[in-house]
Amino acid sequence: MHTRVLATLDYPEVLHQLASYTVSDAGKRLALALTPDDTAGAVQENIDRTADAMALHRLKGGYPITKTVDITPHLKRLQIGATLSGSELAQIGRVLAVAASIKNFFSDFADDQDQMLRALPDLVDQLVDLPAVTRVLNRALDEDGTVLDTASSKLQGIRTGMRQTEGAVRTRLEQYTRGKEAQYLTDAIITLRDDRYVIPVKAEYKNRFGGIVHDQSASGQTFYIEPQAVLEMNNRLRQLQIDEKREIERILAELAELVAPYTNELKANADILAELDLVNAKAQYARAINATEPIIDADRYVDLIQARHPLIDPKKVVPNDIYLGKDFHTIVVTGPNTGGKTITLKTLGLLELMAQSGMFIPANEDSHVAIYDEILADIGDEQSIEQSLSTFSGHMKNIISILHVATKRSLVLFDELGAGTDPQEGASLAIAVLDYLGAMGPDVVATTHYPEFKDYGYNTPQTINASMEFDITTLQPTYRLLIGTPGRSNAFDIAARLGLNQEIVDRAKQLLDGESQNLNEMIGDLENQRKAAETEYHELRHQLDEATTLHEQLNTAFEEFLKDKDTQLQKAQQQADKLVDKAQAKADKIIADLRQAQLTGSGSSVKEDKLIAARTALKDLHSTPSVKNNRVLRREKKKQTLRPGDDVQVASYGTVGTLLSKSDDTHWEVQLGILKMKVPTDELTKVEAPEDKEPKRHIVNVSNRGPAISPTLDLRGKRYEEAMHDLDQYMDEALLANYPTVTIIHGKGTGAIRNGVQEYLKQHRQIKSYKYAPPEAGGDGATIVVFK
């Protein structure tokens, strides 16, 4: 692209705005030197990079590109074997640190996000990470290039000695500034002269402290003296300072030697960081001007929807639809001055330049752009004072240059084509230029005042008329481009509305030839039809937008539903698997416990109470469906209204009992043989009473090959919790064994277990009475229990 054309289309002003969003000097230089590409592949890659940066700003607030200094001069010095300063090496370390940070950011983003980036990861992958070099530089240098104590053990030792010596010097000098010697000083301070610590002594006492005079005040009343007492310490401190300087020089030379082999990698890193800075600036600039991603049209069609000039105040700019290249390749824009023709030309050219530079454009989404090999423009007053050329001559020189350069893949923009000379000759010349370009095939947009172009646009293939809308009511231009409608002359209407005598207006109309009058009337009819069609179009477009929005919302909601459904099913499956695993483990443990009890019983059968407990535990492993969500169970439940006296199946014990009374909303008291139990309602199932009402004895046949339960329980020596557990288990077994009375030996001790036994017995429903044993049987160290 020619520099003059770029300036004509305001491209440099856009680059200056873009450069303001960069953070590095190298990135700013890239922004100011940015030029459009003319190949679809290169343009698409740059737009993809900008789109990636926009996505990262939306999702992560951007990637960590931070300010870096241009290290190119440092690398050139390294290549010739020079030693760098601490600040220069720190700047190189900064480039390495930023490169590593960006690589880590993109790696983490790829792991955390489902969204795929298009082009930036490939660029970031080219960054070279030198962790070993980075660690050494970070250990040796501060951010500003100061060599740290950790750079070497020798430097650390030197600086430790310097601090100690300096402390000793100051301590000694403070004896002068704070003691009785302070009266001989002009000021009780310690200062430096020639890098040596001194004190300000009054002129008349300059010989009191001995030592060396390093300076005196302008008045001659103060001498800055290094006392004899600190001469040796100052000498030692000075020597340490020299040693420090030599060690720092050695360290810097060593660091330069470490970095030197990687100059090519560092140069590549610096270039990539500058490019990433530019891409980030493009994204931020796009957000600032509310720009969208342009679509590269493979067929070289331009379709800019509500395009806006980026340098005009968004509150004042009038957006326009500009389309070209599909049904026509030439647009002829007619109409009066100050109607917006020139801005429309610049908007088209500038947005094409921005898109071909990899930038988003200020237009609505789904706007299409073409890729042109050249964008050529003759816009504005090209009169050359130096060459004494007329306006017409200046334009013609540009037009001749354009005709030499233009190709079928070019975009040509003419502002006031043929102006500056005789109207008839200028119009003829302009039409000849358009015919020449029409045969060549580039896209052309030309503005003109000549009425002859209205016929030309109507009768010439691949050419269409256009105009800038003018509101006859307000006598003001609306700056809206109307493609398909030629510009209408509004001189008569404007003159009449401004108050010109109607007789004069009518006479002027009579003088206008009939063909021109008919043309104006035709244009007026076309404009009315266009307005009607435009109104209908906007209504339909509004309905389409609403339908599209609703469709997108429904699609989004459906996708979220499917995703949530899959997530819930997966969670339910995982939870079910956990429950099954847990139930299986419990069942395995119950079976194992039964087997162990069988084995330890030396072949005897397991006691009935243990079988009941095991059966209950196995039943508890089954999940019962909620009655609220199961209609069949709900109907069945209604049939089973429980009442006192009903026979019920007790699920937890696997036996039939009789309801006595309802304890509360969720429990019933049930008679199970000789036992009265409080059972949850959801474990009770009503059963039909047998027709034979003759009472039958329930006989439980328990093999008694194992040892019988003892009528005495000894709780002595056990902890409280263990004793209470054993007591509860023993009482159940004693009831099942049908013992009328048992003895609980709890001892005396602290009385904790004895009191616990008394409290337990007090609340047990199957106990008739209990009392301490007789003195000869243990007294209050044992309790005798009598069952009902």
Side-chain angles (χ1 to χ4, degrees), residues 565-581:
K565 175 186 173 184
D566 293 340
T567 302
Q568 294 300 328
L569 285 175
Q570 187 176 6
K571 287 183 178 178
Q573 183 64 45
Q574 293 173 351
Q575 189 174 5
D577 290 343
K578 290 180 180 178
L579 291 174
V580 169
D581 293 342

Side-chain angles (χ1 to χ4, degrees), residues 103-304:
K103 285 180 72 72
N104 291 335
F105 174 86
F106 276 84
S107 176
D108 293 342
F109 181 83
D111 293 339
D112 296 342
Q113 297 290 331
D114 295 332
Q115 180 171 339
M116 295 294 293
L117 299 179
R118 306 184 202 168
L120 277 184
D122 292 336
L123 181 63
V124 172
D125 286 343
Q126 299 175 35
L127 289 170
V128 179
D129 194 7
L130 302 174
V133 176
T134 303
R135 281 195 300 271
V136 172
L137 291 175
N138 289 340
R139 187 173 65 248
L141 300 171
D142 200 352
E143 289 185 1
D144 61 358
T146 302
V147 180
L148 301 173
D149 292 357
T150 52
S152 74
S153 56
K154 182 177 180 180
L155 180 62
Q156 188 171 18
I158 291 172
R159 287 181 172 172
T160 300
M162 289 173 60
R163 287 190 288 269
Q164 293 174 348
T165 304
E166 182 180 4
V169 171
R170 296 185 68 88
T171 298
R172 184 66 183 89
L173 291 179
E174 284 174 355
Q175 295 176 2
Y176 297 122
T177 60
R178 295 179 181 178
K180 61 182 180 179
E181 304 289 344
Q183 60 183 316
Y184 305 113
L185 306 181
T186 56
D187 198 356
I189 61 171
I190 301 171
T191 185
L192 282 171
R193 287 295 185 274
D194 300 328
D195 291 330
R196 299 176 76 89
Y197 285 99
V198 297
I199 52 177
V201 181
K202 295 177 181 178
E204 58 269 27
Y205 302 111
K206 66 178 180 178
N207 296 321
R208 180 173 183 80
F209 301 99
I212 300 172
V213 177
H214 285 275
D215 196 6
Q216 77 177 93
S217 65
S219 63
Q221 299 300 312
T222 301
F223 284 81
Y224 294 94
I225 296 175
E226 179 183 0
Q228 183 69 35
V230 297
L231 277 177
E232 183 59 32
M233 288 187 287
N234 265 337
N235 289 339
R236 187 163 61 253
L237 180 59
R238 183 59 181 159
Q239 183 59 49
L240 288 172
Q241 291 171 344
I242 295 172
D243 293 343
E244 179 194 30
K245 182 179 179 180
R246 289 174 180 171
E247 180 62 12
I248 288 175
E249 290 173 350
R250 185 195 68 78
I251 291 170
L252 293 178
E254 190 177 88
L255 292 176
E257 185 178 353
L258 172 68
V259 173
Y262 303 104
T263 52
N264 292 333
E265 290 85 350
L266 290 167
K267 179 64 169 64
N269 275 5
D271 292 342
I272 294 170
L273 291 179
E275 181 65 29
L276 288 170
D277 187 12
L278 174 60
V279 172
N280 184 65
K282 288 179 181 179
Q284 294 193 62
Y285 182 52
R287 296 175 67 190
I289 64 173
N290 196 25
T292 63
E293 178 181 355
I295 299 173
I296 306 302
D297 198 300
D299 297 320
R300 212 186 75 190
Y301 298 156
V302 176
D303 184 12
L304 301 177

Side-chain angles (χ1 to χ4, degrees), residues 634-654:
R634 200 161 57 240
R635 286 197 300 269
E636 196 65 27
K637 199 74 174 177
K638 287 181 180 179
K639 296 179 183 179
Q640 300 201 25
T641 303
L642 301 178
R643 297 182 178 85
D646 287 344
D647 292 329
V648 291
Q649 179 79 26
V650 182
S652 57
Y653 293 98

